[in-house]
Amino acid sequence: MLLKTYLQKHFVHKPAFASLLGITVERLDQLIAAKAVPEPTYVCDGNTISSAVFGVIETEESIYGDYFRPECSRWVKIADQAAPGQERDAVFSVLSHELKLGLQDYFKEPEMIEKKIQDFLPYFLNGTFGLCIADPSTGTSIARKEVLQLKLTELTENGSNPSPEAISKSELLQLIDDYALSSMPFSPAEYERSSRKRLVDDLRPAVAKA
């Protein structure tokens, strides 16, 4: 798949994203500057594609613009409808509550849940979740993907052990499938370095053979 095709399938460029929300690009920029909503997941300058996750990657395709996941429109709507000066608090209140709901089945200690929430917030803001999570529109789906990746990484030693003793083959294959559904396919520019390749496409056949 071409990078341009991937972006067209999963993302919208900045003017279209603002139009989708019924706001101006200037208003979107204000909300990003206030650290109330996610930055663009990808920034393309014709020669490179850059993200907070993978940095700057050279590309042979000539693509320009800032690209956002349309699913992130929910967060911008919450911010845009908040009282002036309360945009960030409005978004973070909803996000933190939903993250807590998604984390509490895995982490039992309230202190650990709060720590994880605080750890997630910078990644929410810098566009990371738009890159790696299938549905970044809710905190619960963000937490689900992160928990599944944590489980899978711990059990398989980051994909290097296809037959861990702590889980049956059928359960491990189901965990891989659940993780695959919760995560993005990743763009062709970064796929070789992605968790999708390591924890799904490489690991699944190794588990099946083990």
Side-chain angles (χ1 to χ4, degrees):
M1 178 187 292
L2 295 174
L3 175 58
K4 184 176 182 179
T5 303
Y6 180 84
L7 292 175
Q8 289 176 337
K9 181 176 181 180
H10 297 288
F11 292 81
V12 292
H13 60 83
K14 194 175 193 175
F17 187 58
S19 178
L20 178 69
L21 290 155
I23 63 175
T24 64
V25 170
E26 290 73 22
R27 174 58 172 162
L28 177 59
D29 285 338
Q30 289 174 358
L31 295 173
I32 293 172
K35 296 189 180 300
V37 301
E39 297 175 9
T41 291
Y42 294 114
V43 177
C44 304
D45 66 3
N47 299 305
T48 65
I49 179 172
S50 64
S51 69
V53 183
F54 294 98
V56 179
I57 302 174
E58 292 186 1
T59 174
E60 295 180 0
E61 297 179 58
S62 184
I63 304 171
Y64 294 86
D66 298 351
Y67 287 83
F68 295 78
R69 288 287 299 282
E71 291 86 350
C72 288
S73 61
R74 179 187 180 227
W75 304 114
V76 183
K77 288 177 182 177
I78 292 172
D80 186 52
Q81 293 169 3
Q86 299 299 311
E87 294 92 346
R88 177 184 168 95
D89 289 344
V91 171
F92 277 34
S93 176
V94 175
L95 175 62
S96 296
H97 174 69
E98 292 179 353
L99 285 172
K100 181 178 180 180
L101 291 177
L103 291 169
Q104 61 189 8
D105 287 340
Y106 188 73
F107 297 101
K108 302 305 180 184
E109 302 84 0
E111 297 80 9
M112 180 57 73
I113 292 174
E114 182 58 31
K115 181 181 184 305
K116 284 293 180 184
I117 290 172
Q118 294 305 314
D119 288 346
F120 287 161
L121 296 182
Y123 297 109
F124 171 79
L125 288 175
N126 69 16
T128 291
F129 290 148
L131 183 151
C132 64
I133 293 179
D135 180 13
S137 69
T138 71
T140 49
S141 61
I142 291 170
R144 173 174 170 75
K145 182 267 181 186
E146 293 299 310
V147 167
L148 288 170
Q149 182 167 343
L150 179 62
K151 288 181 179 179
L152 195 53
T153 299
E154 289 180 342
L155 281 168
T156 67
E157 301 170 58
N158 202 22
S160 65
N161 181 4
S163 54
E165 295 181 359
I167 188 172
S168 69
K169 177 185 289 192
S170 61
E171 289 172 329
L172 181 53
L173 287 170
Q174 184 61 58
L175 178 59
I176 293 171
D177 288 344
D178 291 343
Y179 173 70
L181 287 173
S182 71
S183 66
M184 286 289 280
F186 291 86
S187 84
E190 66 222 2
Y191 170 77
E192 289 297 323
R193 298 160 56 193
S194 71
S195 58
R196 160 73 61 168
K197 182 179 187 301
R198 183 175 65 256
L199 296 176
V200 178
D201 297 339
D202 289 346
L203 182 59
R204 186 189 279 133
V207 173
K209 292 178 183 178

